[in-house]
Each structure stands twice: as C-alpha cells, then as structure tokens.
Amino acid sequence: MPEAYIVEAVRTAGGRRGGRLAGVHPVDLAAKSLDAVMERSGLEAKAVDDVVMGCVSQGGEQAMQVGRNAVLASKHLGEGVPAVTIDRQCGSSQQAIQFAAQAVMSGTQDVVIASGVESMTRVPMGSTAMFHMKEGLGNYKSPGLEEKYPGIQWSQFMGAEMIVKKHGFTKDDLDRFALASHQKAIEATKSGAFTDEIVPVEIETPEGTEMHTVDEGIRFDATLEGISGVKLLSPEGTITAASSSQICDGSSAVLVVSEKALKEYGLTPLARIHNLTVTAGDPVIMLEEPLFATDRALERAGMKISDIDLFEVNEAFAPVPLAWLKHTGADPEKLNVNGGAIALGHPLGASGTKLMVTLVHALKARGKKYGLQTMCEGGGVANVTIVEAL
C-alpha cells in the first residue's frame, strides 16, 4: 500500500473569545492556513487534489461549506480546487488528516490539504443547535434516541465529571495539571518552540495594525493559588474554567502527499503517517474513549506505549489526559510537552490539525521518532493517529 507523508504543518496562534482574532471572518482565518502550506511547499494550485476541512459549528459565518469558501477566499488556491467540510466534533480536523491519508494511501489522490477552522467568538459553541430549538425548529435528539437514552442530555462537562469520579481524581489533581499546561506553554513560547508552526495573522487593534503570533490564552502569570481559586462550574463537582480547555478562535492545516508527489514536486517530508484509528464507545461518559482507542491503535500498529516518544492528548478537560495517563501507563514527561488546550485553547474544528502541527514540529525539534495524537469527541468517539518523524 502507498505511504502518506506530512510535508507542511501550520496553525494560527489561538485567539481568546472576543479577543485578537475576533475581527477575522472564519473563512478568511481558514484561508490563512491554507495559503501558508501552499507558500511553504511551493506547490501550484493545480497540484492539489482536494481540501478536507474540519468545522464543528457549521452555521452563520461557517455555513454554506466553509471549506470550499476558504479555498475560494485563499490567495493560492481557487476555483479549480475542490473542498469538503466534515464534522466529527472535536476530532473533525484529525479526521480530516485521516481522510487525506486514506485518499493518498488508496492511490486515488496524491496531494490533499487536511485543515480545520473554528471562530468560537463569531459562531458560538452550540449555536447551530440552540438557534433552531429556540425558533421551534426541532431538537437533534430524536424519538429513537430518547427511547434508547431516556432523559439523557448529552454533556461533555458531565462526562468529564464522571471521569473524575470513576478514576478517583481530586480537584487538586486537576488544578496542578492545568498549571503545568500553562507552564509548558509559557516555556514553549519563550523558547521559540512555536515559531516555525505559527502563521502570522494581520489584525487591527486600537494601536493600529499588528501581526498576531502568540497564543492569547496563555496565562503568563499563572499560579496554583490563582487556578485553585477559580469558581467551580458545578457546586458538587471538581472542574473549573481553569481546568477546562479555553474557548478559542483559530485555524490549522497539514499537507498530506504520496511518495509520487514527494518526488514529482521535490518535497521534503516531516513525517510518515504510521497508523490511523477511530473507535467509539459510551456516548454518556463520552470523553473516555481515547483510552480504548489508544489500546486499539497500538495493537494494530504492533507497538507498545513505551515505543512512542511524544503524545498529544487533547486537554478538553484536565481529567481526560489524566485518565489517559493512568490507563496507558505512559510517561507523563512525554505528554503535551508544549502545553495543551487548557493554556493554548481548543478551537473545536481546528484542534485536530492543530495538535498534529505541534506534534510533528516537537518531534523534529527534539530529534524524536514516533508521535501519537488522540482526541476525545462528542458522542463517545475518538481518533488516534500515529506518525513517524523523518
């Protein structure tokens, strides 16, 4: 079977809700990452077979096929390049990578851009469902679903609290993990670890035009005392906004190509895609599936957890990566080495490719070989992608 290679991987720096990227339309924000992989690779638009874009809230400014609109808005693509927009909830753009890789590995395409976008400022989380419900246009929970899951309101927050109880974590465990996320992100930012992966975005500020290049969510003054003092999201719970992923605006893109394309266009690979896995389980606890998906991926790849050099496990809520560490026995020093979504933000549909961008650049910078990425996703689904740095 043909191999699939990652040759470019870029992301925008995250923007807080209502923050520095709030003035950028998500179509144009997505186009920034698409253009960056084209510029860095030197490819012409005619070489691109497809663009696969993840986006969760496909309404408002992200409606009407945001992937295609981003292609049309880009400087380096255009009318002749097709695109598709997909939704696998938080794993949308990780699935975009896997669809792109499958297309290349099947031999049907040679150059595919996997990408993602989410402006959580301009298209708020859940708005696509809530708008229709408020207008009396129905509920996504059908009579058939209600019969199978009576009285269940799907809630990632409640799923996260269920993980806390199941695995015996304390609020202090969560708060310390959150602090570590900020500390690692601070160090990565100050050391320049993100420089090669971030696409500058021109923004307007009260002081004039600036380039947005630093993740806005990082708390450079973070302390355990400050994190511990944040109000609980539920009086009976343990999770706070400080131990949860940050609402974020951003886009990201990964260029996936075949060996034929490597040779034809003179491209240099960053990584080879080694394994693609997706599994599904309990839709109520929902966020625990990365644990079992990782087991399946390692088994299929013929690998052990100790064979992996770096891990990116999305920090949707602190108990998710903590439960993953407990279940897999992975070395915590290899996990989210440049910080995670608690510090850097979780721009839903863009997070899958965003994490892969950081993973392949971190592997290269540290001279490591294998990386594993996994995401918890609404509905109890999880993707796992294993890559080999080249």
Side-chain angles (χ1 to χ4, degrees):
M1 181 180 293
E3 302 281 11
Y5 298 89
I6 293 172
V7 295
E8 298 293 345
V10 302
R11 68 178 181 92
T12 65
R16 288 183 186 172
R17 177 170 55 183
R20 287 170 63 84
L21 292 178
V24 184
H25 193 290
V27 167
D28 297 332
L29 188 60
K32 296 290 185 184
S33 290
L34 298 181
D35 281 335
V37 295
M38 295 298 291
E39 290 166 5
R40 294 187 184 198
S41 68
L43 290 175
E44 295 182 8
K46 63 183 180 181
V48 180
D49 293 308
D50 205 356
V51 172
V52 186
M53 184 169 290
C55 183
V56 174
S57 299
Q58 295 182 34
E61 294 181 357
Q62 293 174 172
M64 303 300 290
Q65 236 277 57
V66 66
R68 174 62 172 164
N69 290 340
V71 166
L72 295 174
S74 73
K75 296 177 181 177
H76 300 294
L77 295 172
E79 295 180 0
V81 178
V84 63
T85 306
I86 62 170
D87 174 11
R88 204 192 278 280
Q89 295 294 278
C90 298
S92 295
S93 56
Q94 185 172 358
Q95 185 60 56
I97 295 171
Q98 297 193 184
F99 280 156
Q102 287 166 350
V104 167
M105 293 164 75
S106 72
T108 57
Q109 294 177 326
D110 290 301
V111 178
V112 183
I113 302 176
S115 57
V117 67
E118 205 83 32
S119 176
M120 299 180 74
T121 295
R122 298 170 75 112
V123 188
M125 182 169 56
S127 60
T128 51
M130 295 305 298
F131 173 80
H132 288 82
M133 290 164 65
K134 287 179 180 179
E135 293 297 315
L137 298 175
N139 191 306
Y140 63 90
K141 195 173 185 189
S142 72
L145 270 177
E146 182 61 32
E147 183 179 349
K148 292 188 70 174
Y149 299 95
I152 297 293
Q153 295 298 315
W154 315 116
S155 166
Q156 294 196 24
F157 167 70
M158 292 308 298
E161 288 287 8
M162 291 169 71
I163 291 173
V164 172
K165 292 178 182 178
K166 178 176 178 178
H167 291 273
F169 299 130
T170 65
K171 181 178 180 297
D172 186 59
D173 293 331
L174 310 188
D175 291 342
R176 289 182 182 278
F177 186 89
L179 176 62
S181 183
H182 283 280
Q183 290 173 331
K184 288 184 283 188
I186 292 166
E187 174 59 28
T189 301
K190 289 183 176 179
S191 70
F194 293 140
T195 301
D196 288 344
E197 67 190 59
I198 287 181
V199 179
V201 178
E202 186 176 290
I203 59 171
E204 296 297 330
T205 73
E207 292 74 35
T209 301
E210 295 180 12
M211 301 306 289
H212 177 61
T213 58
V214 177
D215 294 287
E216 193 178 6
I218 302 171
R219 301 285 186 179
F220 286 89
D221 59 351
T223 63
L224 184 60
E225 181 181 16
I227 288 172
S228 300
V230 176
K231 182 181 178 181
L232 292 167
L233 296 178
S234 168
E236 299 81 26
T238 55
I239 296 171
T240 69
S243 55
S244 308
S245 57
Q246 293 189 39
I247 290 172
C248 184
D249 304 333
S251 73
S252 51
V254 170
L255 183 60
V256 180
V257 307
S258 66
E259 186 171 0
K260 175 186 172 184
L262 285 180
K263 295 175 180 177
E264 183 175 350
Y265 300 113
L267 302 170
T268 302
L270 291 170
R272 180 180 69 88
I273 295 178
H274 190 68
N275 177 266
L276 308 170
T277 296
V278 60
T279 68
D282 186 341
V284 180
I285 194 169
M286 149 174 355
L287 306 182
E288 197 179 30
E289 191 58 22
L291 285 58
F292 317 119
T294 298
D295 293 340
R296 177 76 181 279
L298 291 171
E299 179 184 1
R300 293 182 65 188
M303 302 178 77
K304 303 184 296 294
I305 196 73
S306 58
D307 294 328
I308 307 296
D309 297 300
L310 295 178
F311 306 101
E312 283 289 330
V313 179
N314 194 39
E315 296 174 1
F317 298 90
V320 176
L322 283 171
W324 184 89
L325 282 170
K326 180 181 176 183
H327 175 83
T328 62
D331 181 352
E333 294 300 314
K334 298 179 178 180
L335 175 67
N336 300 354
V337 293
N338 290 332
I342 288 172
L344 300 167
H346 177 19
L348 301 184
S351 285
T353 32
K354 175 180 181 292
L355 265 63
M356 182 58 73
V357 168
T358 296
L359 179 59
V360 296
H361 282 281
L363 287 167
K364 180 181 178 181
R366 293 164 184 254
K368 301 298 183 180
K369 186 173 184 181
Y370 288 110
L372 181 150
Q373 173 191 339
T374 186
M375 310 275 288
C376 57
E377 301 156 15
V381 181
N383 285 74
V384 178
T385 311
I386 300 175
V387 298
E388 177 187 0
L390 299 172

